[in-house]
Amino acid sequence: IRDSQGPFHGILGYSQGSAFIPVYLSRVPDDTFEVALMFCGYLPETHLGLISTIDQRSPFGDISALVYLGQNDYIISNPMTRAQAEEFTSPLIVTSAQGGHYVPGSSDPTFDDITSFLRDSLNPTPPTAPTPPSPTPPSPTPPTGDSDCEDSSVFRFKLLKDEDEDLYLWKNCEWVSNKPNRRCNLDDDAAETTCPDTCGTCDDCVDSVARLRFLYKGRRIARNCKWVGNKPGKRCIIEGLAEACRDTCGMC
C-alpha cells in the first residue's frame, strides 16, 4: 500500500497497532513518514529479536511523535506506554486523566492537543530569516591523550550476556566493577567500551558500542554514540555521554 498509494504523511496505531509502529519504523527509511501517533501502546518486550531491531534503529530519524496514554487504562499500563515513548526523540506525551484503553474522542480534554499536533505537523511554522553570521570565536583546544579516563555514569547501558541465547542485560559500570574480570569480557564489547577505567581499556580511543540509557530533558531515553555524534556540541555535555563516547566527544 505504501508503495502503490503513498507517500503518506504519518503512521497511526492503537494498542497492538501502536506496538507495531516502532517495529515498522525500524524496517523502512527514516524519511518514510513525517509523524507517528501511538495510542495506548507498548514495546514487544517478549520478542527479543524485534526489540533488538528497534534498539538498533531508534529514534527513527528523530521522527515527530505523539504518544497517548489514559490513566484508567487497565489493559496496557502507563509505564509500558512510557517505555515505548522512550524510543523516540522528545515525543509529545499526552496523558488523559479520564481516558482508558481507547482512542480519545472529542469529549476528552486532550482531544485538542492531539488535533493541534496533527495540524501543526501539516502546517509547520515557516522558517525565520537567517541571522547574519557573527565572527567565529577561536576553537577551544581539544583534549589531549592525557585526558582523564573515567567510566561512564549513564544510568544503564545494554550489554549482551549470552550470544547463543540472545540474552541482553541493562546494567551500569558499578555493576561491572563488582566482578570486572568476568563482566568486562562478556560476549560483546559493551562493558569494555563503556567502562574503560574499570576494564583497563583507557588506551583504546573508541566510542561505546552499547545502547545507553540516560536522563534527557527530564526523562530517561536510550540512544547510542551515533546519536551523540549527530550533535556533539549539545549532546556530549549530557551527563555520562562524553565518558561513553570518548572518540566522538574528544575525550582521548
Side-chain angles (χ1 to χ4, degrees):
I1 292 176
R2 179 172 59 86
D3 292 337
S4 61
Q5 300 181 25
F8 296 97
H9 178 65
I11 183 170
L12 182 152
Y14 157 71
S15 194
Q16 288 181 320
S18 176
F20 181 70
I21 285 181
V23 177
Y24 188 79
L25 291 177
S26 68
R27 297 174 182 270
V28 296
D30 286 341
D31 59 353
T32 300
F33 302 104
E34 297 294 326
V35 295
L37 293 89
M38 291 150 282
F39 296 85
C40 310
Y42 55 97
L43 290 173
E45 297 281 1
T46 58
H47 196 306
L48 296 180
L50 292 180
I51 287 294
S52 177
T53 302
I54 291 170
D55 284 343
Q56 291 172 17
R57 288 294 308 278
S58 168
F60 318 111
D62 294 335
I63 186 173
S64 180
L66 179 147
V67 176
Y68 169 88
L69 55 93
Q71 291 184 351
N72 299 308
D73 188 341
Y74 301 112
I75 298 176
I76 302 299
S77 70
N78 288 179
M80 292 171 68
T81 302
R82 291 187 182 278
Q84 183 189 50
E86 290 180 359
E87 297 296 334
F88 297 83
T89 301
S90 302
L92 173 62
I93 300 177
V94 177
T95 304
S96 173
Q98 68 183 46
H101 191 70
Y102 48 79
V103 177
S106 57
S107 61
D108 190 289
T110 65
F111 185 76
D112 288 344
D113 296 330
I114 296 167
T115 55
S116 293
F117 174 84
L118 273 174
R119 281 195 297 268
D120 291 345
S121 72
L122 290 167
N123 300 289
T125 303
T128 57
T131 304
S134 56
T136 303
S139 300
T141 304
T144 66
D146 296 329
S147 298
D148 291 338
C149 174
E150 299 179 5
D151 292 341
S152 173
S153 59
V154 291
F155 176 70
R156 292 282 190 275
F157 66 91
K158 188 177 182 180
L159 65 160
L160 181 63
K161 182 180 181 182
D162 191 313
E163 186 174 12
D164 294 333
E165 297 182 9
D166 198 25
L167 177 61
Y168 288 87
L169 301 172
W170 284 94
K171 298 294 182 181
N172 57 24
C173 288
E174 182 179 355
W175 177 84
V176 176
S177 68
N178 290 332
K179 297 180 179 179
N181 291 337
R182 177 182 176 185
R183 294 170 177 172
C184 285
N185 298 295
L186 291 174
D187 285 344
D188 61 0
D189 296 326
E192 287 186 341
T193 55
T194 312
C195 313
D197 188 23
T198 290
C199 295
T201 55
C202 290
D203 290 341
D204 300 331
C205 186
V206 296
D207 288 341
S208 169
V209 300
R211 190 162 181 80
L212 311 164
R213 184 167 287 168
F214 53 92
L215 278 176
Y216 180 66
K217 296 184 177 179
R219 63 186 185 85
R220 287 197 181 106
I221 64 173
R223 300 290 185 267
N224 57 24
C225 287
K226 182 179 179 181
W227 178 83
V228 176
N230 290 335
K231 296 180 180 179
K234 293 183 177 180
R235 294 171 178 172
C236 284
I237 62 175
I238 298 171
E239 182 179 355
L241 294 191
E243 294 80 12
C245 308
R246 299 171 65 217
D247 187 21
T248 290
C249 296
M251 295 295 288
C252 52

